[in-house]
Amino acid sequence: MTLQVGLVGVDGIVIASDRRLQKIEQYSRTIATVSKFLEWGGGLCCWAGDSVSEYAANVLSKADWADIPAEKEAIRTKLIQVGDKAMEEMERVHGGIDYGADRQIIIAYRDTLWMLEIQRPSSIANVHLDRVIAGDMYTSARMFSNLYAVGCESIPISRLTFLAANLVLMGGMENPSGVAGLEVAVIPAGGAPIFLSKEKEEELTSMAERFSRQLRTLLLQEVDYRPSPPPVRELP
């Protein structure tokens, strides 16, 4: 399981991801801490799902993007081709795959946020003008995104960084077996991706834990549910 968040700001894009990797084999499960980001000249992506998504992300990072026009439909066509190729190759290698699995890749390319959904009969690629979430669909990250990321496209990325990180970290609090760790990439408009340092990630994690405690305190504050006593009437 994975949880990833992409937010479009007025001056760039922020993408946050967890670091938990689980590989399920016939009789065992392997857990590791990894980076799910892949970078190439002018682009960045992170993958959610299984080995099909991971393979597709690696294909994206090694593709020749120099010959791809900047037009949206040309980029969409390239992403769909990569997704479909990944499905075909993994079907060939494994002799069949789980078609019900969610396989998604968030892409930042040419100051635009994309989501590639790898599926049959054809992959889907769309531009997202404000926000996107990939991975674990059962955490409250989507609810908090709907509440607090509205209008993010008019907010500076410096103010969106903690929001993106907090959504991922909250998912880890809800589902610690499937979502864990944090990695954040900030992509200023027209610039190269900037990955937050380990110290900054630890600071954001502490902030998220403090926010969670404060929110719990607010939600559990005492409310006097008893009816108010009637006013005392003074005798004339």
Side-chain angles (χ1 to χ4, degrees):
M1 192 63 70
T2 296
L3 185 58
Q4 297 168 340
V5 176
L7 299 177
V8 178
V10 69
D11 55 350
I13 296 171
V14 179
I15 301 177
S17 172
D18 80 319
R19 292 176 175 268
R20 171 62 52 86
L21 175 65
Q22 297 189 69
K23 288 189 176 292
I24 309 297
E25 300 172 356
Q26 187 173 5
Y27 300 109
S28 64
R29 180 182 65 158
T30 301
I31 298 176
T33 301
V34 302
S35 172
K36 298 173 184 177
F37 283 93
L38 289 153
E39 186 179 357
W40 66 94
L44 175 79
C45 70
C46 61
W47 55 274
D50 57 12
S51 57
V52 179
S53 303
E54 184 180 9
Y55 176 78
N58 277 274
V59 173
L60 279 177
S61 69
K62 294 178 175 64
D64 185 3
W65 288 91
D67 297 332
I68 306 300
E71 289 79 10
K72 180 174 69 175
E73 293 309 315
I75 298 171
R76 188 196 313 275
T77 298
K78 178 65 174 180
L79 294 175
I80 291 173
Q81 288 174 348
V82 169
D84 291 346
K85 177 183 177 181
M87 286 287 280
E88 293 170 2
E89 181 64 16
M90 298 306 284
E91 286 171 342
R92 183 188 67 80
V93 171
H94 298 290
I97 57 177
D98 177 9
Y99 293 106
D102 291 324
R103 302 177 174 98
Q104 301 160 322
I105 301 177
I106 296 177
I107 303 109
Y109 183 66
R110 293 184 179 270
D111 297 329
T112 306
L113 184 66
W114 290 81
M115 165 80 95
L116 172 62
E117 299 178 78
I118 304 169
Q119 60 185 40
R120 286 300 197 191
S122 175
S123 298
I124 298 172
N126 283 309
V127 173
H128 289 255
L129 303 179
D130 51 2
R131 60 194 188 276
V132 66
I133 296 181
D136 191 345
M137 66 178 67
Y138 299 110
T139 71
S140 58
R142 282 174 169 78
M143 182 271 288
F144 269 81
S145 171
N146 292 335
L147 286 174
Y148 302 116
V150 174
C152 62
E153 64 274 17
S154 63
I155 300 174
I157 50 179
S158 60
R159 292 175 53 198
L160 296 176
T161 301
F162 175 60
L163 175 57
N166 187 57
L167 294 176
V168 171
L169 293 166
M170 287 182 64
M173 295 175 194
E174 292 182 82
N175 178 19
S177 65
V179 179
L182 176 68
E183 186 171 19
V184 181
V186 181
I187 308 103
I194 300 170
F195 286 90
L196 299 191
S197 66
K198 180 180 178 181
E199 292 74 21
K200 182 60 68 173
E201 290 171 356
E202 291 174 348
E203 179 184 339
L204 292 176
T205 300
S206 296
M207 290 170 60
E209 292 169 350
R210 186 165 62 251
F211 169 77
S212 180
R213 292 193 299 269
Q214 293 170 344
L215 180 60
R216 176 179 172 84
T217 299
L218 286 171
L219 292 174
L220 296 180
Q221 63 184 302
E222 185 175 350
V223 174
D224 188 355
Y225 58 86
R226 296 166 296 184
S228 300
V232 177
R233 297 179 62 184
E234 295 183 0
L235 294 175

